[in-house]
Amino acid sequence: MQYQTSGVDNDLRSYDVQDDRVFFNPKAGVTWSLQQWCQLYASAAVAHREPSRSEYIDAPSGAFPDQSVWWMWSWAAVSHGQPGS
């Protein structure tokens, strides 16, 4: 992501922002079939969110805001009827 902006904010302060970031958002999931009637699911993901415009403008001079990092996990068990049915 390449972000460039300049101007004057609401507080009449000048700003000039130039920032380059690389994001990698991996995701993986698996499914296990234990029996014909029962399955387990699991997944994991990492997501990065770039800072908002206001986070750049309101940051102290020369400082860059941190990106948000979210770790997501999920799992489930699904039953399709009864064993032996």
Side-chain angles (χ1 to χ4, degrees):
M1 178 203 81
Q2 186 177 42
Y3 186 79
Q4 295 178 327
T5 186
S6 61
V8 177
D9 69 7
N10 293 340
D11 298 328
L12 302 178
R13 294 181 307 170
S14 298
Y15 62 89
D16 184 16
V17 176
Q18 296 183 6
D19 192 13
D20 292 314
R21 295 183 186 241
V22 175
F23 295 104
F24 178 60
N25 296 321
K27 299 163 189 66
V30 293
T31 301
W32 294 279
S33 293
L34 301 178
Q35 298 290 331
Q36 184 178 6
W37 54 272
C38 183
Q39 291 182 319
L40 300 176
Y41 302 94
S43 67
V46 179
H48 295 86
R49 184 189 66 84
E50 68 273 6
S52 67
R53 180 179 180 274
S54 63
E55 290 173 314
Y56 278 107
I57 293 172
D58 295 337
S61 181
F64 289 102
D66 291 331
Q67 63 191 20
S68 298
V69 178
W70 297 325
W71 295 82
M72 293 160 278
W73 305 90
S74 64
W75 58 90
V78 178
S79 175
H80 302 284
Q82 298 285 332
S85 60

